[in-house]
Amino acid sequence: MEQYHFIIQADRCIECYSCSASCYQEHRSAQGDLPRRKIQHRTGDPNYPVYLSMSCNHCRNPVCVTICPNNNYTKRRDGIVVHDDTHCEGCKLCVEACPFDAPQLNPITGKVDKCHFCYERLSEGLAPVCVANCPTDALNYAKLSDIVAVSERYSGNDVPISRFTSPAIIIKKQTESKQHFL
Amino acid sequence: MKTLQDFLLSFPFKHVNPITPVGAELINYDSISSKPFDTGTSSDILVYLPYVNENRKRLSDDDVLQIMQLPQVVGVLIYYPRDLPIREQLKEIYELFKVPVVHLTYPLKETVLHEKASSNYRLIQDTHGTTIDELFQRSLSIRTAMAQPVTVMDQNFKSVTRPYEPEASSDWMQFLIQSRSKWLQLYYFHPERFVYEAGNQSTTLSCYPVYVQEEIRYFLITPKTDVEWYGRLLEYYALLLSLVSQQEEKVDELHLTFKSHFLHDLLYNNFKSEQALLEQAATWGWNLNEPNELVVIRVAAGENSQHLLHEGWRTELFDKLLKRFRQDHPTGMIEPFQNDIVLILRMGLSGRLKEYLQKVITRYMEDSEGIIIKAGIGKCYPKTKELNKSYQEAMMALKLGHEWSRENNVFHIEDLGVLRLLFYLNQDHLVEFSSSYLQPLIDSDQQHQTDYLETLKQWIIHDTSVQDTAEAMHFHPNTLRKRLQKVNNLLGVDIYNHEDFVNISIAVKIHTIDFFQTNVKNLS
């Protein structure tokens, strides 16, 4: 079966936070909600900082699914991991366990919220809001086979990222730092 | 002029059962009559009789014998919707008069209405609700009508039709058995060539290919014949085989898709309620009402044996394993899923499940050199809706157990101990803890390729036995002692001290979980 993947072209990211801002605008529904997408600074060599626009990577073996005591997480047939907060008690187990910091606790509602790949937009034929608003095309998405070997997905990628949950993400190799002008 | 052969070719194929040979010569007739004794002798007639008439009187072999003695009778059609009880007697009568007898399972008068659209009507009738196995068995009727062997072979040149009894040890069967290896060698990859070269075989053949989705799936063969109506009959039979197998393959594909959707929904918690899950499982014939254990079986080629394995080894092994598991657990749910095999078995096996899996896996690994088979088992949850957790745990057991086991191929999530706990904790804290202990070793390994971390890991796996570790790593025990001393110096601890050993051991385990995270740095 095929599942949705985020594709990140690391050398195109200019750390403009458009993805984060648009996500916040689209999905903020309660006081205390946080943007579901964040830009993380990953670095091996300090001369070449890597900006990764990270959110839920809709892993093949999502640790949040295993750990949630109320079984609130489901993975749809298209691979999107969805959290139903109806019975969420805000125990924060998923928040602690996720290697990508995808689930976030809203301190006011006491419930967890996470990226759901804008599946309502996908059903209307639109791209996720973060992808649609990325000015440099650093962020993209595609529906790909989920049986692709891990080594193939990360070919040429030197970005440090946890892989034990088999995240549905492709990070294109950072070649050299570039100066972008908008 | 009308012929019996034309009549038979216009009648729905599934309803025609020749009891005697129809013969190569065309049999002309002027009319079809149900009252042969009332017609004159000047015109040839086909006699059509129901086996049970309006007065509920059954046709006897004497009745047929009398009819056959009439000079104007050229053939007999008997209608009866089930198996004809006087079949054998009719065969004996045929030997006396050589008048062909055909059993029809569909009444004649109703087909006359469809005469104008007969070819389409016949095709619809013949394909509607017909299975490929039923069609294979129909080759016997063709064989009877033609009075010569007719065989359907698959792509491996193996007969898929049951041989006609007297033929079982005949020259034809011997010829098929003897030719198989030669045909496999010559034509397996070029099936079209077999069709063209059928006339050049030691027994010259007429071959009709059966295409399914643009490739030859079956061959319909018979000893070479130039009889025109035989050709038309065989061509039509090949067409039916093609249509029905194509239809069955489509249904099978659909069935597989639905099944895989159900499995996905089950293993990723996509059901709204437990009740909905159980109801859908029941439609597939699976009873998931009781607590179940979940196992994931993974098959992979060994590091150095990828190039030694033939194409399709994985499918072959999967089929064998699925067959074995289904045989051993007929009530279990055993299906391939995302490149693995998933077993959902009722809890009864508890305790013995690991032993059973280990036994099966060892047996198949011995048979298939260079192949590694591993199994992960999740916890058994009381609710079926929680099978998704069990699945994730089985996957985790597979991943981590593989890293931390000496010989076993079967890992239960509960055997992982502290590793299981680590998996759920905040990654940043874990990495920080691990790095604070192991950074000197990581740096040394990266800069000088010293492999200290792997050495330490193997030493922990082998319960700190110097002998076993040295053996596993293929070097001398003294080399290992020297390396461990070096590790002690680099880390500034005493790994033989219990407290230090526990800390270092946990740090190494964390490092293994997050192996990829710490192994990538160079961005130049």
Side-chain angles (χ1 to χ4, degrees):
Chain A
M1 253 186 266
E2 290 188 327
Q3 87 154 68
Y4 282 109
H5 285 63
F6 277 119
I7 302 169
I8 297 172
Q9 200 137 355
D11 50 0
R12 285 192 174 180
C13 184
I14 53 169
E15 209 192 357
C16 70
Y17 288 91
S18 296
C19 49
S20 189
S22 56
C23 176
Y24 188 51
Q25 200 166 8
E26 179 89 3
H27 297 297
R28 188 183 55 169
S29 58
Q31 204 184 356
D33 271 353
L34 297 164
R36 294 171 179 176
R37 182 170 281 282
K38 288 184 277 186
I39 295 189
Q40 299 179 356
H41 294 236
R42 304 259 175 162
T43 178
D45 186 335
N47 297 321
Y48 298 104
V50 185
Y51 306 119
L52 281 184
S53 176
M54 293 293 268
S55 182
C56 175
N57 290 320
H58 305 275
C59 307
R60 193 178 151 206
N61 310 124
V63 68
C64 48
V65 172
T66 330
I67 205 164
C68 178
N70 293 319
N71 218 1
N72 290 333
Y73 286 90
T74 59
K75 190 170 169 69
R76 295 167 21 134
R77 285 179 197 162
D78 53 12
I80 300 173
V81 177
V82 181
H83 177 251
D84 176 5
D85 67 4
T86 319
H87 304 291
C88 180
E89 293 166 349
C91 66
K92 280 174 77 178
L93 284 174
C94 55
V95 177
E96 290 288 317
C98 176
F100 306 106
D101 297 332
Q104 299 180 89
L105 183 76
N106 180 328
I108 296 176
T109 59
K111 287 178 186 280
V112 163
D113 182 42
K114 76 171 260 305
C115 160
H116 59 40
F117 220 106
C118 293
Y119 63 74
E120 323 91 330
R121 285 177 61 93
L122 287 176
S123 62
E124 289 168 17
L126 299 169
V129 69
C130 51
V131 173
N133 283 285
C134 178
T136 59
D137 276 347
L139 198 57
N140 226 316
Y141 80 108
K143 208 172 185 186
L144 304 166
S145 167
D146 59 357
I147 303 174
V148 184
V150 172
S151 61
E152 280 175 48
R153 288 202 218 174
Y154 296 88
S155 60
N157 158 42
D158 288 334
V159 180
I161 180 169
S162 181
R163 296 177 193 194
F164 69 93
T165 55
S166 307
I169 185 171
I170 294 173
I171 301 170
K172 299 265 178 84
K173 190 177 181 178
Q174 171 96 351
T175 46
E176 57 188 55
S177 65
K178 284 182 182 172
Q179 193 76 44
H180 288 271
F181 297 97
L182 282 176
Chain B
M1 184 65 85
K2 292 179 276 190
T3 66
L4 170 63
Q5 284 81 356
D6 280 341
F7 169 80
L8 294 179
L9 286 171
S10 66
F11 204 81
F13 177 71
K14 70 201 284 188
H15 296 304
V16 178
N17 299 296
I19 291 170
T20 66
V22 177
E25 293 290 316
L26 292 179
I27 298 168
N28 297 315
Y29 69 93
D30 295 309
S31 61
I32 298 175
S33 169
S34 296
K35 293 174 179 163
F37 296 105
D38 297 350
T39 53
T41 51
S42 57
S43 58
D44 292 331
I45 57 164
L46 260 185
V47 180
Y48 170 72
L49 297 166
Y51 175 64
V52 180
N53 69 13
E54 290 158 355
N55 304 324
R56 294 182 173 262
K57 188 175 174 265
R58 287 171 179 254
L59 194 71
S60 71
D61 45 341
D62 282 343
D63 297 336
V64 179
L65 188 72
Q66 281 177 28
I67 290 166
M68 288 211 184
Q69 284 172 359
L70 297 171
Q72 68 272 31
V73 175
V74 292
V76 179
L77 309 172
I78 300 173
Y79 163 66
Y80 189 55
R82 291 180 286 278
D83 273 349
L84 203 59
I86 52 168
R87 208 181 164 85
E88 291 308 313
Q89 292 90 318
L90 292 175
K91 279 183 191 172
E92 285 167 19
I93 297 171
Y94 171 79
E95 292 303 322
L96 300 173
F97 299 99
K98 298 292 177 196
V99 173
V101 184
V102 178
H103 166 211
L104 304 177
T105 53
Y106 200 74
L108 192 56
K109 57 184 177 187
E110 289 176 32
T111 60
V112 176
L113 296 172
H114 303 284
E115 209 166 344
K116 279 186 182 167
S118 63
S119 63
N120 292 344
Y121 168 72
R122 186 167 66 125
L123 201 59
I124 292 166
Q125 278 266 55
D126 283 333
T127 50
H128 178 71
T130 310
T131 65
I132 194 76
D133 288 333
E134 280 168 7
L135 263 188
F136 288 152
Q137 294 318 314
R138 298 288 301 152
S139 70
L140 288 182
S141 296
I142 298 178
R143 195 239 158 266
T144 310
M146 289 171 49
Q148 68 176 50
V150 174
T151 301
V152 183
M153 298 189 302
D154 62 12
Q155 291 156 308
N156 298 319
F157 300 97
K158 199 174 172 186
S159 169
V160 289
T161 47
R162 191 159 46 89
Y164 182 63
E165 290 305 326
E167 249 170 37
S169 57
S170 67
D171 293 346
W172 173 253
M173 290 312 291
Q174 290 303 316
F175 163 70
L176 291 184
I177 294 165
Q178 282 164 10
S179 309
R180 192 173 167 227
S181 60
K182 187 181 86 182
W183 289 345
L184 271 172
Q185 219 170 8
L186 290 173
Y187 307 118
Y188 183 76
F189 294 107
H190 310 284
E192 278 89 3
R193 210 190 288 165
F194 177 71
V195 181
Y196 298 131
E197 294 177 8
N200 306 335
Q201 306 300 327
S202 56
T203 301
T204 49
L205 300 173
S206 289
C207 178
Y208 297 83
V210 177
Y211 282 91
V212 179
Q213 291 176 359
E214 295 177 15
E215 65 173 52
I216 296 178
R217 196 62 52 88
Y218 303 107
F219 302 97
L220 176 59
I221 55 164
T222 185
K224 176 90 177 151
T225 170
D226 294 324
V227 179
E228 188 262 343
W229 90 270
Y230 286 177
R232 280 162 63 204
L233 177 63
L234 293 169
E235 259 173 31
Y236 183 68
Y237 183 49
L239 172 73
L240 283 184
L241 283 172
S242 172
L243 288 173
V244 171
S245 31
Q246 195 140 314
Q247 199 173 311
E248 278 199 359
E249 280 189 15
K250 288 271 174 219
V251 172
D252 284 350
E253 267 174 37
L254 211 62
H255 185 83
L256 272 179
T257 310
F258 282 132
K259 205 184 241 186
S260 114
H261 281 173
F262 170 74
L263 258 180
H264 185 280
D265 291 348
L266 177 69
L267 300 178
Y268 285 114
N269 188 26
N270 269 338
F271 285 100
K272 289 280 174 222
S273 68
E274 177 110 355
Q275 191 56 31
L277 189 163
L278 295 176
E279 276 170 16
Q280 216 181 105
T283 61
W284 292 103
W286 291 315
N287 179 7
L288 298 177
N289 284 309
E290 287 168 38
N292 287 284
E293 288 192 281
L294 189 142
V295 183
V296 177
I297 309 271
R298 186 162 295 167
V299 172
E303 270 177 33
N304 303 320
S305 51
Q306 192 89 47
H307 62 286
L308 298 172
L309 298 167
H310 64 281
E311 202 184 341
W313 65 269
R314 181 183 285 273
T315 322
E316 217 172 87
L317 185 61
F318 257 51
D319 288 346
K320 277 187 200 167
L321 286 170
L322 284 170
K323 198 175 165 191
R324 168 74 194 260
F325 288 131
R326 281 175 182 157
Q327 243 171 25
D328 293 352
H329 305 282
T331 56
M333 188 173 158
I334 295 146
E335 295 296 325
F337 182 70
Q338 291 183 346
N339 251 5
D340 299 322
I341 295 176
V342 173
L343 281 75
I344 300 175
L345 309 171
R346 209 165 287 171
M347 221 181 100
L349 267 171
S350 188
R352 286 174 290 130
L353 183 60
K354 260 182 83 175
E355 288 166 34
Y356 162 74
L357 289 169
Q358 188 65 52
K359 202 173 114 191
V360 174
I361 286 174
T362 313
R363 183 213 172 294
Y364 281 93
M365 274 175 66
E366 277 168 7
D367 283 359
S368 340
E369 209 179 324
I371 290 173
I372 299 166
I373 309 173
K374 305 256 176 200
I377 311 172
K379 268 195 286 185
C380 181
Y381 287 91
K383 283 185 185 170
T384 311
K385 210 166 173 291
E386 288 176 311
L387 271 175
N388 67 322
K389 289 189 169 196
S390 195
Y391 174 63
Q392 293 302 334
E393 286 170 353
M395 298 282 273
M396 195 199 299
L398 254 181
K399 259 182 203 172
L400 301 181
H402 173 65
E403 287 278 348
W404 285 92
S405 174
R406 246 185 299 178
E407 287 150 8
N408 282 349
N409 298 84
V410 183
F411 317 104
H412 196 291
I413 184 73
E414 283 172 355
D415 297 342
L416 294 181
V418 73
L419 270 172
R420 180 158 59 102
L421 206 60
L422 298 176
F423 198 73
Y424 297 138
L425 298 179
N426 184 295
Q427 296 300 301
D428 292 340
H429 297 163
L430 290 174
V431 172
E432 195 189 327
F433 174 85
S434 168
S435 305
S436 70
Y437 277 98
L438 302 178
Q439 201 55 48
L441 296 189
I442 295 168
D443 291 344
S444 170
D445 281 356
Q446 269 185 0
Q447 284 160 20
H448 311 294
Q449 281 79 45
T450 42
D451 221 9
Y452 287 141
L453 265 172
E454 184 59 24
T455 311
L456 200 50
K457 182 183 148 191
Q458 290 299 330
W459 185 63
I460 297 166
I461 289 176
H462 290 90
D463 300 330
T464 68
S465 158
V466 171
Q467 205 63 40
D468 293 351
T469 314
E471 208 169 292
M473 296 196 78
H474 309 291
F475 49 56
H476 196 273
N478 284 347
T479 315
L480 179 67
R481 287 192 189 95
K482 213 168 178 183
R483 280 194 181 200
L484 290 174
Q485 189 54 48
K486 191 78 184 162
V487 167
N488 262 344
N489 295 342
L490 278 169
L491 297 182
V493 294
D494 176 13
I495 52 172
Y496 299 104
N497 172 291
H498 177 70
E499 204 170 314
D500 283 345
F501 173 78
V502 170
N503 289 336
I504 295 291
S505 149
I506 291 173
V508 172
K509 285 181 180 179
I510 293 169
H511 182 80
T512 318
I513 295 176
D514 240 350
F515 185 68
F516 293 103
Q517 195 160 24
T518 48
N519 194 34
V520 278
K521 292 294 171 193
N522 183 15
L523 297 181
S524 58

